[in-house]
Amino acid sequence: MTINADPQELAKFGELAHRWWDPQGEFRPLHQINPLRLDWIDGLAKLKGRRVVDIGCGGGILAESMAARGASVLGIDLSVKPLRVAQLHAMEAGVENLDYREVAAEALAAEAPAGFDVVTCMEMLEHVPTPASVVQACAALVKPGGWVFFSTINRNAKAFAFAIVGAEHLLKMLPKGTHEYARFIRPSELAGWAREAGLVVDQLKGMEYNPLTQRYWLSADTSVNYLVACRRPS
Ligand code: SAH
């Protein structure tokens, strides 16, 4: 099986892995958005006691926070260094019910079909050659009646201006080259892949950012960053 991953993308995250938990470092945006997405996911899926898999977990910012809410979480990624950082951080933080594995979403789906109550796949699809295949794997991993959450970046002129020119070049919130415009995903495309995989789209939310106040909030404006909540029919 050819692996659905871009080695350059994985290397990029590997090189920055030691910086993952610095709240003022390169991954600062992930730290800043985490409470927002965590509360949204928890509000819908009621994390306590659930079995969760976090696809493309990186250094574990979301995975660890879901485990701290009482879920039993498996974080998977194909970049080794972020996984090591995630493991170390979990040990130091003393968070239990949290494991990490280097395995592709598609391979885990073949190994543990319908193995999880909740699947999260945040800020990851825009780094993958064939995102539809990851969406399909997420649908296969979730139990009937369970939840699948995605977040990514829209593809239009405003998203280019905000997510690449603004965030990488003007505000320097992210390292240059973090995102590639051609890999951005329209909500209609993501919803289409989800439906083809047998999921039902339950919610679509925009995530907005004000650079002056440095605040993030959820809204109906999906023109740049957005989140999707899907369910697998029971
Ligand atoms: N989901 C985390 C990290 C986002 S950064 C969060 O939102 O906090 C994107 C992550 O996706 C990186 O850790 C990168 O290594 C991972 N990634 C990129 N391509 C991948 C692939 N094909 N399979 C699994 N993980 C991948």
Side-chain angles (χ1 to χ4, degrees), residues 88-108:
L88 262 177
H89 196 275
M91 264 176 58
E92 283 170 9
V95 178
E96 288 174 10
N97 302 321
L98 178 55
D99 283 312
Y100 290 103
R101 265 182 73 186
E102 183 193 353
V103 61
E106 291 90 342
L108 187 67

PDB file of all heavy atoms in Angstrom, residues 88-108:
ATOM      1  N   LEU A  88       6.427  12.453  25.676  1.00  0.00           N
ATOM      2  CA  LEU A  88       7.156  13.043  26.807  1.00  0.00           C
ATOM      3  C   LEU A  88       6.272  14.017  27.579  1.00  0.00           C
ATOM      4  O   LEU A  88       6.234  14.006  28.804  1.00  0.00           O
ATOM      5  CB  LEU A  88       8.365  13.818  26.289  1.00  0.00           C
ATOM      6  CG  LEU A  88       9.696  13.106  26.339  1.00  0.00           C
ATOM      7  CD1 LEU A  88      10.774  13.992  25.721  1.00  0.00           C
ATOM      8  CD2 LEU A  88      10.057  12.767  27.791  1.00  0.00           C
ATOM      9  N   HIS A  89       5.550  14.847  26.831  1.00  0.00           N
ATOM     10  CA  HIS A  89       4.721  15.857  27.489  1.00  0.00           C
ATOM     11  C   HIS A  89       3.616  15.205  28.311  1.00  0.00           C
ATOM     12  O   HIS A  89       3.318  15.650  29.420  1.00  0.00           O
ATOM     13  CB  HIS A  89       4.126  16.827  26.471  1.00  0.00           C
ATOM     14  CG  HIS A  89       3.601  18.077  27.105  1.00  0.00           C
ATOM     15  ND1 HIS A  89       2.331  18.159  27.641  1.00  0.00           N
ATOM     16  CD2 HIS A  89       4.187  19.268  27.341  1.00  0.00           C
ATOM     17  CE1 HIS A  89       2.169  19.367  28.153  1.00  0.00           C
ATOM     18  NE2 HIS A  89       3.270  20.052  27.989  1.00  0.00           N
ATOM     19  N   ALA A  90       3.051  14.126  27.768  1.00  0.00           N
ATOM     20  CA  ALA A  90       1.984  13.418  28.488  1.00  0.00           C
ATOM     21  C   ALA A  90       2.528  12.837  29.794  1.00  0.00           C
ATOM     22  O   ALA A  90       1.872  12.894  30.836  1.00  0.00           O
ATOM     23  CB  ALA A  90       1.397  12.319  27.615  1.00  0.00           C
ATOM     24  N   MET A  91       3.758  12.289  29.718  1.00  0.00           N
ATOM     25  CA  MET A  91       4.387  11.732  30.926  1.00  0.00           C
ATOM     26  C   MET A  91       4.601  12.804  31.973  1.00  0.00           C
ATOM     27  O   MET A  91       4.273  12.643  33.142  1.00  0.00           O
ATOM     28  CB  MET A  91       5.750  11.135  30.568  1.00  0.00           C
ATOM     29  CG  MET A  91       5.720   9.653  30.307  1.00  0.00           C
ATOM     30  SD  MET A  91       7.344   9.105  29.780  1.00  0.00           S
ATOM     31  CE  MET A  91       8.345   9.627  31.188  1.00  0.00           C
ATOM     32  N   GLU A  92       5.168  13.930  31.520  1.00  0.00           N
ATOM     33  CA  GLU A  92       5.466  15.017  32.456  1.00  0.00           C
ATOM     34  C   GLU A  92       4.201  15.604  33.049  1.00  0.00           C
ATOM     35  O   GLU A  92       4.165  15.979  34.215  1.00  0.00           O
ATOM     36  CB  GLU A  92       6.274  16.109  31.758  1.00  0.00           C
ATOM     37  CG  GLU A  92       7.725  15.725  31.602  1.00  0.00           C
ATOM     38  CD  GLU A  92       8.495  16.684  30.712  1.00  0.00           C
ATOM     39  OE1 GLU A  92       7.948  17.741  30.348  1.00  0.00           O
ATOM     40  OE2 GLU A  92       9.639  16.350  30.378  1.00  0.00           O
ATOM     41  N   ALA A  93       3.159  15.675  32.242  1.00  0.00           N
ATOM     42  CA  ALA A  93       1.897  16.256  32.718  1.00  0.00           C
ATOM     43  C   ALA A  93       1.116  15.245  33.570  1.00  0.00           C
ATOM     44  O   ALA A  93       0.163  15.609  34.253  1.00  0.00           O
ATOM     45  CB  ALA A  93       1.050  16.708  31.532  1.00  0.00           C
ATOM     46  N   GLY A  94       1.530  13.970  33.505  1.00  0.00           N
ATOM     47  CA  GLY A  94       0.850  12.944  34.283  1.00  0.00           C
ATOM     48  C   GLY A  94      -0.566  12.670  33.808  1.00  0.00           C
ATOM     49  O   GLY A  94      -1.414  12.234  34.582  1.00  0.00           O
ATOM     50  N   VAL A  95      -0.819  12.901  32.516  1.00  0.00           N
ATOM     51  CA  VAL A  95      -2.151  12.638  31.968  1.00  0.00           C
ATOM     52  C   VAL A  95      -2.259  11.153  31.626  1.00  0.00           C
ATOM     53  O   VAL A  95      -1.386  10.594  30.963  1.00  0.00           O
ATOM     54  CB  VAL A  95      -2.414  13.482  30.702  1.00  0.00           C
ATOM     55  CG1 VAL A  95      -3.771  13.168  30.107  1.00  0.00           C
ATOM     56  CG2 VAL A  95      -2.316  14.963  31.030  1.00  0.00           C
ATOM     57  N   GLU A  96      -3.322  10.539  32.100  1.00  0.00           N
ATOM     58  CA  GLU A  96      -3.498   9.108  31.828  1.00  0.00           C
ATOM     59  C   GLU A  96      -4.466   8.900  30.662  1.00  0.00           C
ATOM     60  O   GLU A  96      -4.992   9.857  30.108  1.00  0.00           O
ATOM     61  CB  GLU A  96      -3.995   8.413  33.097  1.00  0.00           C
ATOM     62  CG  GLU A  96      -2.868   8.322  34.122  1.00  0.00           C
ATOM     63  CD  GLU A  96      -3.327   7.770  35.453  1.00  0.00           C
ATOM     64  OE1 GLU A  96      -4.468   7.280  35.540  1.00  0.00           O
ATOM     65  OE2 GLU A  96      -2.537   7.850  36.405  1.00  0.00           O
ATOM     66  N   ASN A  97      -4.676   7.640  30.302  1.00  0.00           N
ATOM     67  CA  ASN A  97      -5.591   7.319  29.193  1.00  0.00           C
ATOM     68  C   ASN A  97      -5.184   7.990  27.897  1.00  0.00           C
ATOM     69  O   ASN A  97      -6.021   8.474  27.139  1.00  0.00           O
ATOM     70  CB  ASN A  97      -7.025   7.741  29.503  1.00  0.00           C
ATOM     71  CG  ASN A  97      -7.524   7.093  30.759  1.00  0.00           C
ATOM     72  OD1 ASN A  97      -7.241   5.923  31.002  1.00  0.00           O
ATOM     73  ND2 ASN A  97      -8.241   7.851  31.558  1.00  0.00           N
ATOM     74  N   LEU A  98      -3.872   8.035  27.647  1.00  0.00           N
ATOM     75  CA  LEU A  98      -3.376   8.731  26.458  1.00  0.00           C
ATOM     76  C   LEU A  98      -2.224   7.934  25.865  1.00  0.00           C
ATOM     77  O   LEU A  98      -1.227   7.687  26.536  1.00  0.00           O
ATOM     78  CB  LEU A  98      -2.921  10.136  26.874  1.00  0.00           C
ATOM     79  CG  LEU A  98      -2.315  11.055  25.821  1.00  0.00           C
ATOM     80  CD1 LEU A  98      -3.242  11.225  24.626  1.00  0.00           C
ATOM     81  CD2 LEU A  98      -2.010  12.414  26.438  1.00  0.00           C
ATOM     82  N   ASP A  99      -2.378   7.500  24.602  1.00  0.00           N
ATOM     83  CA  ASP A  99      -1.329   6.753  23.915  1.00  0.00           C
ATOM     84  C   ASP A  99      -1.044   7.390  22.570  1.00  0.00           C
ATOM     85  O   ASP A  99      -1.921   8.031  21.997  1.00  0.00           O
ATOM     86  CB  ASP A  99      -1.765   5.298  23.672  1.00  0.00           C
ATOM     87  CG  ASP A  99      -1.674   4.469  24.935  1.00  0.00           C
ATOM     88  OD1 ASP A  99      -0.622   4.543  25.596  1.00  0.00           O
ATOM     89  OD2 ASP A  99      -2.660   3.793  25.262  1.00  0.00           O
ATOM     90  N   TYR A 100       0.155   7.153  22.090  1.00  0.00           N
ATOM     91  CA  TYR A 100       0.530   7.676  20.779  1.00  0.00           C
ATOM     92  C   TYR A 100       1.114   6.558  19.936  1.00  0.00           C
ATOM     93  O   TYR A 100       1.811   5.691  20.436  1.00  0.00           O
ATOM     94  CB  TYR A 100       1.549   8.808  20.928  1.00  0.00           C
ATOM     95  CG  TYR A 100       0.954  10.058  21.538  1.00  0.00           C
ATOM     96  CD1 TYR A 100       1.187  10.382  22.870  1.00  0.00           C
ATOM     97  CD2 TYR A 100       0.157  10.904  20.776  1.00  0.00           C
ATOM     98  CE1 TYR A 100       0.641  11.532  23.434  1.00  0.00           C
ATOM     99  CE2 TYR A 100      -0.396  12.053  21.328  1.00  0.00           C
ATOM    100  CZ  TYR A 100      -0.144  12.361  22.657  1.00  0.00           C
ATOM    101  OH  TYR A 100      -0.690  13.490  23.209  1.00  0.00           O
ATOM    102  N   ARG A 101       0.832   6.619  18.609  1.00  0.00           N
ATOM    103  CA  ARG A 101       1.358   5.591  17.693  1.00  0.00           C
ATOM    104  C   ARG A 101       1.693   6.207  16.345  1.00  0.00           C
ATOM    105  O   ARG A 101       0.948   7.057  15.850  1.00  0.00           O
ATOM    106  CB  ARG A 101       0.303   4.514  17.449  1.00  0.00           C
ATOM    107  CG  ARG A 101       0.425   3.305  18.337  1.00  0.00           C
ATOM    108  CD  ARG A 101      -0.638   2.289  17.954  1.00  0.00           C
ATOM    109  NE  ARG A 101      -0.339   1.626  16.701  1.00  0.00           N
ATOM    110  CZ  ARG A 101      -1.188   0.780  16.100  1.00  0.00           C
ATOM    111  NH1 ARG A 101      -2.366   0.528  16.626  1.00  0.00           N
ATOM    112  NH2 ARG A 101      -0.845   0.188  14.971  1.00  0.00           N
ATOM    113  N   GLU A 102       2.776   5.698  15.745  1.00  0.00           N
ATOM    114  CA  GLU A 102       3.117   6.092  14.387  1.00  0.00           C
ATOM    115  C   GLU A 102       2.411   5.127  13.437  1.00  0.00           C
ATOM    116  O   GLU A 102       2.870   4.017  13.207  1.00  0.00           O
ATOM    117  CB  GLU A 102       4.641   6.013  14.199  1.00  0.00           C
ATOM    118  CG  GLU A 102       5.086   6.472  12.836  1.00  0.00           C
ATOM    119  CD  GLU A 102       6.536   6.082  12.551  1.00  0.00           C
ATOM    120  OE1 GLU A 102       7.223   5.575  13.459  1.00  0.00           O
ATOM    121  OE2 GLU A 102       6.957   6.273  11.402  1.00  0.00           O
ATOM    122  N   VAL A 103       1.274   5.531  12.928  1.00  0.00           N
ATOM    123  CA  VAL A 103       0.511   4.675  12.016  1.00  0.00           C
ATOM    124  C   VAL A 103      -0.357   5.587  11.149  1.00  0.00           C
ATOM    125  O   VAL A 103      -0.810   6.645  11.580  1.00  0.00           O
ATOM    126  CB  VAL A 103      -0.349   3.643  12.820  1.00  0.00           C
ATOM    127  CG1 VAL A 103      -1.367   4.319  13.725  1.00  0.00           C
ATOM    128  CG2 VAL A 103      -1.064   2.659  11.899  1.00  0.00           C
ATOM    129  N   ALA A 104      -0.565   5.171   9.900  1.00  0.00           N
ATOM    130  CA  ALA A 104      -1.411   5.957   8.993  1.00  0.00           C
ATOM    131  C   ALA A 104      -2.882   5.748   9.344  1.00  0.00           C
ATOM    132  O   ALA A 104      -3.269   4.668   9.808  1.00  0.00           O
ATOM    133  CB  ALA A 104      -1.154   5.542   7.543  1.00  0.00           C
ATOM    134  N   ALA A 105      -3.691   6.752   9.100  1.00  0.00           N
ATOM    135  CA  ALA A 105      -5.127   6.649   9.384  1.00  0.00           C
ATOM    136  C   ALA A 105      -5.728   5.461   8.647  1.00  0.00           C
ATOM    137  O   ALA A 105      -6.532   4.698   9.207  1.00  0.00           O
ATOM    138  CB  ALA A 105      -5.825   7.945   8.972  1.00  0.00           C
ATOM    139  N   GLU A 106      -5.321   5.283   7.387  1.00  0.00           N
ATOM    140  CA  GLU A 106      -5.889   4.200   6.567  1.00  0.00           C
ATOM    141  C   GLU A 106      -5.529   2.833   7.155  1.00  0.00           C
ATOM    142  O   GLU A 106      -6.356   1.917   7.157  1.00  0.00           O
ATOM    143  CB  GLU A 106      -5.369   4.299   5.122  1.00  0.00           C
ATOM    144  CG  GLU A 106      -5.895   5.504   4.339  1.00  0.00           C
ATOM    145  CD  GLU A 106      -5.011   6.762   4.469  1.00  0.00           C
ATOM    146  OE1 GLU A 106      -4.195   6.815   5.429  1.00  0.00           O
ATOM    147  OE2 GLU A 106      -5.150   7.672   3.650  1.00  0.00           O
ATOM    148  N   ALA A 107      -4.281   2.705   7.653  1.00  0.00           N
ATOM    149  CA  ALA A 107      -3.836   1.426   8.227  1.00  0.00           C
ATOM    150  C   ALA A 107      -4.565   1.146   9.536  1.00  0.00           C
ATOM    151  O   ALA A 107      -4.983   0.005   9.796  1.00  0.00           O
ATOM    152  CB  ALA A 107      -2.322   1.456   8.455  1.00  0.00           C
ATOM    153  N   LEU A 108      -4.742   2.171  10.346  1.00  0.00           N
ATOM    154  CA  LEU A 108      -5.463   1.970  11.612  1.00  0.00           C
ATOM    155  C   LEU A 108      -6.925   1.601  11.352  1.00  0.00           C
ATOM    156  O   LEU A 108      -7.513   0.776  12.063  1.00  0.00           O
ATOM    157  CB  LEU A 108      -5.380   3.229  12.490  1.00  0.00           C
ATOM    158  CG  LEU A 108      -5.961   3.072  13.894  1.00  0.00           C
ATOM    159  CD1 LEU A 108      -5.132   2.101  14.736  1.00  0.00           C
ATOM    160  CD2 LEU A 108      -6.075   4.415  14.613  1.00  0.00           C
TER     161      LEU A 108
END
